[in-house]
Amino acid sequence: MQVPILKQGAYLIASIQSALSDADLMQFRDALVAKVSTFRSRGIIVDVTVLDVMDSFASRTLRDLVHMIKLRGATTVIVGIQPEVAFAMVQLGLTLEGVATALDLEEGLAYLEQTTTRKASTPRDG
């Protein structure tokens, strides 16, 4: 199943619509990283609201995705982690260490506005 990736100004919004297989997750990761380059995006939102389960592979893939996009010079925020999913992740020791999260799409956009504006005004180290 393909994940729709929408362009909204300088941002990309990827909204996962249903549970994804491991192969689907890897395809999503590769497609999103490619679109960051194509559109020269400054920020990415990955909406996981519909996911009622997040296993270790999904957690690791999302964490790796965020780090790949960071290496491309963009900021990523994961939004919509359900309370039950967060609880299960903590119980299983699954973390999204180093990954920005937000309650919903609105907070995710606010986070990107704040961080990408600050990043744009700060010179990058070579």
Side-chain angles (χ1 to χ4, degrees):
M1 155 158 270
Q2 275 197 331
V3 175
I5 302 171
L6 307 172
K7 183 178 184 314
Q8 179 67 39
Y11 305 139
L12 294 176
I13 301 171
S15 182
I16 296 175
Q17 304 291 314
S18 65
L20 300 175
S21 69
D22 292 353
D24 290 336
L25 275 168
M26 291 189 309
Q27 181 181 6
F28 165 62
R29 178 198 64 200
D30 296 343
L32 188 55
V33 171
K35 288 201 185 251
V36 168
S37 297
T38 301
F39 294 118
R40 303 179 62 82
S41 302
R42 293 183 325 182
I44 292 77
I45 293 176
V46 178
D47 185 351
V48 298
T49 303
V50 301
L51 295 183
D52 55 2
V53 174
M54 197 172 310
D55 63 13
S56 61
F57 184 81
S59 299
R60 187 174 60 249
T61 302
L62 286 174
R63 190 176 57 238
D64 292 348
L65 169 69
V66 170
H67 294 298
M68 287 177 190
I69 290 172
K70 184 176 183 179
L71 288 171
R72 300 290 302 143
T75 302
T76 305
V77 60
I78 308 291
V79 303
I81 297 175
Q82 296 298 322
E84 302 81 21
V85 174
F87 180 78
M89 288 175 69
V90 169
Q91 293 298 311
L92 295 170
L94 304 176
T95 65
L96 291 175
E97 190 173 330
V99 175
T101 58
L103 186 60
D104 56 25
L105 182 60
E106 186 177 348
E107 284 191 16
L109 285 167
Y111 174 83
L112 288 180
E113 282 295 321
Q114 182 181 24
T115 57
T116 59
T117 302
R118 186 178 331 127
K119 188 190 286 187
S121 64
T122 305
R124 293 185 184 181
D125 294 334

